[in-house]
């Protein structure tokens, strides 16, 4: 039975974002994977195939999910792709030294379902190169699909299908795991958090705590620290107020 989609349903709150996808067929396959699990919000960031949403291969691989392709959007930047989202999950088989917290698809799905204030984006990278480090650094979590360590390669549509399945299971109360405590305030958007990082970095430079010419790994460590906290709008405003006061004292 198809679930009723409301503003608070995970089916209405989860966006699939494909970054610089090379094969139009993979876009169609992701659309099909999404629709089989009840999701429909698809955004493409700079696809490498001209008119990717209308390409014959995309249409063929989408099969009965043409409505997902027709409703998809093509944008030029991650900022545009994440507009309206306050939580971003980067999907990658490659772990980074300074990545945000790492979750399995099941853990992510349980968290998203249990926190209805989250409007989330699942971000998938290029088939060959994956996601750039700067995109992963802006995400709240990194999603790593547990697989055979001797051969852990999944293609784009397979990865999307696994994540969509776990999210559907969570949304229909089929997920395993204890529910997490929800936000007491409004979750900060990706853009608000990124603005906070930039403001904090400027303040740290002005007070002499951060050497702009030799920054080392301070900001990646701070990003990882704050990524574990799931910042609320009020908390971001407090941190920006602290940064502003630091700057004021230096001037």
């Amino acid at each position: 039975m198809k679930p009723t989609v409301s503003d608070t349903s995970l089916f209405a709150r989860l966006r699939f974002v494909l970054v610089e996808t090379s094969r139009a067929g993979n876009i169609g396959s992701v659309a099909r994977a999404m629709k089989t699990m009840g999701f429909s919000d698809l955004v493409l960031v700079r696809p490498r195939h001209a008119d990717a949403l209308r390409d014959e291969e995309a249409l063929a691989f989408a099969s009965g999910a043409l409505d997902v392709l027709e409703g998809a959007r093509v944008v030029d930047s991650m900022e545009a792709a994440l507009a309206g989202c306050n939580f971003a999950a980067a999907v990658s088989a490659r772990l980074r030294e300074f990545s945000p917290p790492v979750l399995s698809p099941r853990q992510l799905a349980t968290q998203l379902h249990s926190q209805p204030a989250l409007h989330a984006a699942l971000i998938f990278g290029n088939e060959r190169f994956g996601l750039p480090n700067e995109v992963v650094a802006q995400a709240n979590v990194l999603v790593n699909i547990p697989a055979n360590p001797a051969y852990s390669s999944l293609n784009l549509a397979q990865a999307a299908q696994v994540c969509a399945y776990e999210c559907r299971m969570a949304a229909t109360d089929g997920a395993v795991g204890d529910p997490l405590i929800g936000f007491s305030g409004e979750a900060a958007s990706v853009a608000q958090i990124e603005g906070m990082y930039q403001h904090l970095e400027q303040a740290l430079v002005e007070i002499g705590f951060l050497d702009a010419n030799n920054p080392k790994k301070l900001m990646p460590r701070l990003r990882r620290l704050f990524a574990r906290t799931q910042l609320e709008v009020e908390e971001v405003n407090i941190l920006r107020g602290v940064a502003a006061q630091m700057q004021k004292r230096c001037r």
Side-chain angles (χ1 to χ4, degrees), residues 4 11 14 37 47 74 76 99 101-102 108 128 134-136 151 156-157 159-160 165 174 177 182 187 191 228 236 243:
T4 301
F11 296 103
L14 184 60
M37 295 297 127
V74 178
D76 293 326
S99 80
V102 180
L108 172 74
R128 182 177 177 185
E134 56 269 24
V135 173
V136 174
Y151 187 69
L156 176 58
Y165 167 79
R228 295 196 295 266
V236 166

Side-chain angles (χ1 to χ4, degrees), residues 119-135:
H119 291 262
L122 266 173
I123 309 170
F124 300 84
N126 174 268
E127 297 93 325
R128 182 177 177 185
F129 303 108
L131 286 171
N133 288 334
E134 56 269 24
V135 173

Side-chain angles (χ1 to χ4, degrees), residues 116-198:
L118 294 182
H119 291 262
L122 266 173
I123 309 170
F124 300 84
N126 174 268
E127 297 93 325
R128 182 177 177 185
F129 303 108
L131 286 171
N133 288 334
E134 56 269 24
V135 173
V136 174
Q138 292 181 32
N140 299 88
V141 297
L142 187 149
V143 178
N144 185 261
I145 299 174
N148 177 7
Y151 187 69
S152 59
S153 176
L154 288 172
N155 70 30
L156 176 58
Q158 289 173 333
Q161 187 74 78
V162 169
C163 293
Y165 167 79
E166 292 292 353
C167 289
R168 179 178 182 81
M169 290 295 290
T172 56
D173 295 324
V176 177
D178 295 328
L180 303 177
I181 298 173
F183 287 107
S184 58
E186 180 185 355
S189 69
V190 174
Q192 288 170 326
I193 293 174
E194 187 61 28
M196 181 270 292
Y197 284 134
Q198 294 174 8

Side-chain angles (χ1 to χ4, degrees), residues 13-77:
R13 294 186 286 111
L14 184 60
R15 177 179 303 166
F16 286 68
V17 177
L18 308 185
V19 181
E20 297 184 353
T21 312
S22 296
R23 292 290 303 274
N26 284 333
I27 296 171
S29 294
V30 169
R32 183 175 183 178
M34 291 170 58
K35 184 168 183 177
T36 60
M37 295 297 127
F39 299 96
S40 60
D41 190 359
L42 176 62
V43 175
L44 311 181
V45 182
R46 299 185 299 274
R48 298 189 177 184
H49 197 286
D51 204 18
L53 293 173
R54 295 178 179 83
D55 183 84
E56 290 185 3
E57 189 178 76
L59 298 175
F61 278 67
S63 187
L66 297 182
D67 56 327
V68 177
L69 286 183
E70 291 170 357
R73 295 178 290 118
V74 178
V75 298
D76 293 326
S77 68

